């Protein structure tokens, strides 16, 4: 197979060169201008939680100022900051989940919001013990919306968990006192306890951070995925293309960027409206080319094969091409820089969510009670902007790569089952997957997730780690911006099996799947949890016994901190490729990288070299295999 690594760099380099020529700046320029990052901030020992400060204490124990004005130590300050990152991350994912629940509330048979997946609806109804027999699906859907909404603010009890959550894990959480109660409450708890003069105990703060993070993984994110599947269908394998080469010369190029699939699904549907296509043609274009970016890109490619324009660090480069009529965004991971940048080109930067206004953008609210009509109005803006494209300053890089995406847990189980059983088994389980892991054909699985970060070369940490692991017979599941990296590098093509070890290659050949499976957006890490939980239940072990690991080689967001934390809390070791701001606390370093294992059977690893991290991951996989005698 041809090595795509060089090609990707050239697409990026071409556009960075163009940016320079055009006199515009990108994240890389701003990163350079930032010079050396603040040492106190990097170590996590800076506190702004009250106006006696800000306080910054020494990141080196026994040297310099050891306590803030209130007396908080480095251990407490770092723990409070860490917990607040988890709370913010959990809030972002969960509020996205809540939006979808509210969207589901508006679903009706003859309205603009309809249910596309009744099978998933039934499965989720079962989780919430909602009667389905002889009932109209829309009535069931509204009951689900009610039950899910209750998970955010129920006054008593605990979250209702997926049946995939192993009993042992739940008992462990109860014992440790970290079982989430309700999503909003556990986030609020962190905000309360990190206020000046509240919790002054680092361990207590990490427990609270864990509870808020678990409320994300098994709560808010899980709900986001379930409701999205009900509304827009559970993904199944579909062909797509990735990288900025998916932009078209003679079409109205629209890039959808952000997170909540309600907006993007409506735009994708409305872009096929004959009236809009006719308008595009009247404006001189051949058609409308909708592409996706970051997690929104993952959502719509998995369900419709919409092309993937790129990940986090490509959002500015998309504008620099000069070929994008509209960059339409909702929430999260949208650089405010786009407002200024788009002024140098013809691109319309359209914000749509009351949760994310950006100064100097064009705000057109996405009206969720009339999504199709609202989407049409937004698309019209893009079409009318086509004539403003400056043809003398367009550079669409010719790099793009095909990919097979859309491996929801249901699709994986279904696909494996069809190969193993001659007849379709109505009681499909993860047994075939468990069998290939038990036999050692596949050594284990790695979930590689998360963002891009200009501290690391774009995408290379993701890709290097993936290549190493598949070569050693570890199957990979990707979400988020890591998924875009894999797609661009050609790792989501069935032919990428040639890069896999002999065992994994056999499995890929048999099933016609790539060695790197696309599971979706970042909230879809709930799919990873579901798969791991079902595997553990099938083998009658806890998740922490499975030869399964996780990594975020280029993470940057607070959401990623919440993810890492709930992944570890679920029993899966998590490798971070960017050093988190905790190094100023001896307690944090010992707990997160060491003692956490005593609590959860898993811990964090920090390793900035992707190859070394991959070696450690492999070692850990083999150790887990030994532990359960396989
Ligand atoms: Fe954002 Fe979700 Fe990170 Fe990508 S991976 S930069 S969080 S888009 Ni979620
Ligand atoms: Fe300083 Fe304590 Fe206030 Fe933080 S909470 S700013 S450490 S006095």
């Amino acid at each position: 197979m041809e090595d795509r690594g060089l090609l990707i760099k050239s697409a990026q380099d071409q556009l960075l060169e163009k940016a320079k020529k055009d006199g515009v700046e990108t994240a890389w320029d701003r990163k350079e201008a930032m010079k050396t990052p603040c040492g106190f901030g990097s170590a996590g020992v800076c506190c702004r939680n009250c106006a006696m400060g800000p306080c910054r204490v020494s990141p080196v124990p026994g040297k310099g100022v050891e306590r803030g004005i209130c007396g908080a130590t480095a251990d407490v300050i770092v723990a409070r900051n860490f917990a607040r990152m988890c709370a913010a991350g959990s809030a972002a994912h969960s509020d996205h989940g809540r939006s979808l629940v509210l969207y589901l509330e508006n679903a009706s048979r003859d309205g603009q919001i309809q249910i596309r997946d009744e099978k998933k609806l039934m499965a989720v109804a079962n989780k919430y013990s909602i009667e389905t027999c002889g009932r109209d699906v829309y009535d069931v859907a509204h009951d689900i919306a009610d039950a899910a909404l209750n998970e955010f603010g129920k006054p008593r009890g605990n979250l209702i968990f997926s049946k995939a959550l192993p009993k042992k894990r739940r008992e462990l959480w109860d014992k440790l006192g970290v079982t989430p109660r309700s999503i909003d409450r556990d986030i609020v708890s962190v905000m309360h306890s990190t206020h000046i003069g509240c919790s002054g105990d680092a361990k207590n703060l990490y427990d609270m951070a864990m509870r808020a993070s678990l409320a994300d993984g098994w709560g808010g994110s899980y709900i986001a995925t379930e409701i999205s599947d009900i509304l827009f269908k559970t993904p199944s394998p579909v062909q797509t293309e990735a990288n900025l080469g998916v932009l078209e010369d003679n079409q109205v190029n629209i890039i959808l960027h952000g997170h909540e699939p309600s907006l993007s699904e409506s735009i994708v549907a409305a872009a096929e409206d004959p009236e809009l296509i006719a308008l595009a043609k009247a404006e001189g274009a051949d058609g409308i080319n909708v592409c996706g970016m970051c997690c929104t890109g993952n959502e719509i490619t998995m369900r419709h094969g919409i092309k993937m324009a790129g990940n986090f660090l490509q959002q500015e480069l998309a504008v620099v091409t000069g070929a994008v009529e509209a960059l339409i965004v909702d929430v999260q991971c949208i650089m405010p820089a786009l407002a200024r940048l788009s002024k140098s080109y013809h691109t319309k930067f359209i914000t749509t969510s009351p949760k994310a206004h950006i100064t100097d953008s064009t705000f057109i609210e996405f009206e969720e009670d009339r999504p199709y009509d609202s989407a049409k109005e937004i698309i019209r803006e893009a079409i009318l902007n086509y004539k403003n494209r400056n043809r003398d300053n367009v550079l669409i890089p010719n790099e793009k790569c095909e990919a097979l995406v859309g491996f929801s847990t249901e699709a994986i189980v279904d696909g494996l089952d069809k190969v193993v059983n001659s007849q379709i088994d109505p009681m499909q389980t993860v047994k075939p997957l468990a069998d290939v892991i038990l036999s050692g054909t596949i050594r284990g699985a790695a979930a590689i997730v998360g963002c891009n970060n200009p501290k690391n070369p774009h995408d290379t940490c993701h890709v290097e780690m993936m290549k190493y692991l598949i070569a050693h017979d570890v199957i990979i599941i990707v979400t988020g911006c890591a998924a875009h990296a894999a797609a661009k590098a050609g790792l989501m093509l069935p032919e990428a099996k040639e890069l896999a070890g002999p065992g994994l290659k056999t499995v890929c050949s048999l099933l016609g799947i790539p060695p790197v499976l696309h599971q979706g957006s970042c909230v879809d890490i709930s799919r990873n949890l579901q798969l791991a939980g079902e595997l553990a239940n099938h083998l009658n072990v806890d998740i922490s016994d499975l030869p399964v690991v996780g990594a975020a080689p280029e993470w940057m967001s607070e959401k990623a901190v919440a993810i890492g934390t709930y992944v570890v809390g679920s029993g899966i070791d998590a490798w971070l490729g960017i050093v988190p701001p905790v190094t100023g606390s001896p307690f944090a370093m010992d707990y997160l990288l060491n003692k956490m294992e005593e609590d959860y059977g898993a811990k964090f690893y920090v390793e900035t070299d992707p190859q070394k991290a991959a070696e450690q991951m492999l070692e850990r996989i083999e150790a887990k295999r030994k532990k359960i005698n396989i």
Side-chain angles (χ1 to χ4, degrees):
M1 236 188 90
E2 132 192 59
D3 190 341
R4 307 258 171 184
L6 292 172
L7 285 179
I8 292 169
K9 274 201 197 107
S10 87
Q12 176 181 323
D13 286 351
Q14 278 176 53
L15 287 165
L16 284 176
E17 239 166 64
K18 180 169 187 291
K20 201 156 268 156
K21 194 186 98 231
D22 294 349
V24 296
E25 60 170 41
T26 65
W28 286 281
D29 300 311
R30 294 187 294 273
K31 165 89 177 63
E32 212 174 297
M34 208 57 75
K35 301 266 176 349
T36 315
C38 165
F40 295 96
S42 305
V45 291
C46 167
C47 180
R48 288 185 288 105
N49 291 13
C50 89
M52 291 192 284
C55 299
R56 37 183 223 185
V57 302
S58 170
V60 188
K63 248 183 109 185
V65 175
E66 287 194 70
R67 280 170 295 279
I69 295 169
C70 68
T73 59
D75 286 339
V76 169
I77 292 173
V78 166
R80 286 197 303 216
N81 290 341
F82 184 89
R84 283 196 169 195
M85 288 179 94
C86 291
S90 182
H93 281 149
S94 301
D95 207 37
H96 158 175
R98 183 194 337 252
S99 292
L100 286 154
V101 174
L102 296 171
Y103 201 69
L104 181 66
E105 264 189 342
N106 283 329
S108 64
R109 197 177 298 281
D110 47 9
Q112 294 190 7
I113 304 173
Q114 287 172 352
I115 283 155
R116 299 254 177 268
D117 193 335
E118 291 186 18
K119 196 172 163 202
K120 185 81 179 212
L121 177 97
M122 293 303 161
V124 178
N126 179 35
K127 168 180 160 184
Y128 289 118
S129 312
I130 290 166
E131 181 62 64
T132 55
C133 216
R135 297 185 66 202
D136 185 88
V137 288
Y138 283 86
D139 292 338
V140 176
H142 296 145
D143 282 357
I144 289 177
D146 241 18
L149 203 54
N150 199 39
E151 293 296 273
F152 289 86
K154 67 167 80 160
R156 286 181 196 84
N158 292 106
L159 289 186
I160 297 168
F161 297 105
S162 155
K163 297 202 164 57
L165 175 64
K167 207 165 146 262
K168 285 182 193 162
R169 192 54 29 186
R170 169 66 201 270
E171 285 165 2
L172 179 71
W173 292 349
D174 284 347
K175 196 183 97 208
L176 294 166
V178 298
T179 309
R181 297 163 302 176
S182 67
I183 300 160
D184 292 350
R185 182 177 180 191
D186 289 326
I187 293 166
V188 166
S189 278
V190 169
M191 297 314 286
H192 176 186
S193 295
T194 53
H195 188 274
I196 159 95
C198 205
S199 177
D201 180 78
K203 175 64 167 65
N204 169 249
L205 286 159
Y206 289 111
D207 289 347
M208 246 178 293
M210 177 58 78
R211 189 168 52 187
S213 301
L214 290 172
D216 172 1
W218 293 89
S221 280
Y222 220 102
I223 289 171
T225 299
E226 286 175 334
I227 306 294
S228 298
D229 284 355
I230 290 172
L231 283 164
F232 313 120
K233 84 179 188 219
T234 303
S236 52
V238 55
Q239 198 75 25
T240 189
E241 287 176 340
N243 215 343
L244 284 166
V246 301
L247 296 173
E248 295 284 350
D249 242 333
N250 297 316
Q251 295 197 33
V252 175
N253 288 311
I254 294 178
I255 291 191
L256 291 167
H257 172 24
H259 283 81
E260 294 174 7
S262 37
L263 168 75
S264 48
E265 282 282 337
S266 307
I267 300 267
V268 167
E272 284 175 11
D273 193 299
E275 188 194 323
L276 289 178
I277 293 173
L279 180 63
K281 295 211 162 130
E283 292 291 314
D286 291 346
I288 305 168
N289 180 38
V290 178
C291 308
M293 185 151 264
C294 288
C295 280
T296 278
N298 288 318
E299 296 275 357
I300 49 183
T301 198
M302 280 198 305
R303 295 194 177 92
H304 306 282
I306 295 290
K307 289 173 266 180
M308 307 163 77
N311 48 10
F312 182 69
L313 279 179
Q314 279 171 293
Q315 54 188 295
E316 291 177 291
L317 301 183
V319 177
V320 172
T321 62
V324 175
E325 273 58 55
L327 185 54
I328 304 170
V329 304
D330 57 5
V331 292
Q332 301 169 24
C333 301
I334 298 143
M335 291 191 190
L338 291 170
R340 184 160 178 237
L341 179 68
S342 57
K343 297 264 176 286
S344 298
Y345 299 88
H346 80 303
T347 305
K348 270 214 162 175
F349 175 40
I350 303 177
T351 45
T352 62
S353 168
K355 293 178 218 162
H357 283 270
I358 296 177
T359 306
D360 287 335
S361 65
T362 305
F363 183 77
I364 309 175
E365 182 161 348
F366 173 58
E367 293 169 39
E368 300 203 339
D369 49 350
R370 49 189 283 280
Y372 188 80
D373 298 334
S374 186
K376 273 180 78 174
E377 287 159 21
I378 298 170
I379 296 172
R380 195 165 285 129
E381 291 289 317
I383 297 172
L384 296 176
N385 195 25
Y386 181 71
K387 58 175 175 299
N388 298 324
R389 192 189 294 182
N390 175 5
R391 301 245 158 222
D392 301 330
N393 194 25
V394 168
L395 172 70
I396 300 177
N398 60 2
E399 279 82 19
K400 59 180 173 181
C401 184
E402 286 184 9
L404 189 62
V405 299
F407 290 90
S408 58
T409 300
E410 288 86 341
I412 293 175
V413 169
D414 188 52
L416 277 164
D417 208 78
K418 277 193 189 117
V419 174
V420 179
N421 296 314
S422 49
Q423 289 157 340
I424 293 183
D425 181 353
M427 293 299 295
Q428 288 167 344
T429 67
V430 287
K431 184 174 182 299
L433 181 61
D435 287 348
V436 286
I437 293 177
L438 288 178
S439 70
T441 315
I442 291 177
R443 305 307 296 169
I448 300 182
V449 308
C451 328
N452 295 138
N453 188 322
K455 284 182 179 169
N456 283 348
H458 185 206
D459 287 345
T460 42
C461 296
H462 287 303
V463 173
E464 265 183 46
M465 181 180 278
M466 290 177 203
K467 283 189 177 163
Y468 185 91
L469 289 170
I470 60 174
H472 289 84
D473 288 326
V474 174
I475 192 162
I476 292 179
I477 281 162
V478 287
T479 58
C481 288
H484 286 264
K488 287 181 281 174
L491 297 177
M492 286 188 198
L493 283 167
E495 297 84 73
K497 66 172 191 256
E498 299 304 330
L499 301 173
L504 179 56
K505 187 175 169 182
T506 309
V507 173
C508 291
S509 305
L510 213 63
L511 301 177
I513 58 168
V516 176
L517 300 179
H518 184 282
Q519 277 214 306
S521 66
C522 291
V523 293
D524 290 332
I525 293 175
S526 60
R527 300 188 200 277
N528 304 174
L529 295 179
Q530 184 195 353
L531 191 58
E534 286 182 11
L535 261 177
N537 288 335
H538 176 78
L539 297 172
N540 200 20
V541 297
D542 195 354
I543 296 176
S544 57
D545 299 322
L546 297 173
V548 170
V549 292
E554 303 179 23
W555 74 275
M556 62 86 198
S557 71
E558 291 169 313
K559 291 179 284 175
V561 182
I563 292 170
T565 304
Y566 75 63
V567 162
V568 171
S570 301
I572 300 170
D573 295 295
W575 271 259
L576 302 177
I578 302 283
V579 182
V582 300
T583 53
S585 158
F587 182 90
M589 296 299 280
D590 186 40
Y591 183 66
L592 300 173
L593 306 181
N594 186 15
K595 295 231 171 65
M596 213 168 177
E597 192 176 354
E598 291 166 18
D599 285 345
Y600 299 101
K603 60 182 179 179
F604 282 102
Y605 293 74
V606 177
E607 177 53 68
T608 52
D609 179 331
Q611 159 103 20
K612 275 195 201 141
E615 285 166 10
Q616 295 165 2
M617 291 161 84
L618 207 58
E619 232 171 76
R620 191 71 167 163
I621 283 175
E622 292 303 331
K624 294 259 166 124
R625 293 187 65 91
K626 231 183 228 144
K627 192 176 160 204
I628 54 169
N629 288 320
I630 56 172

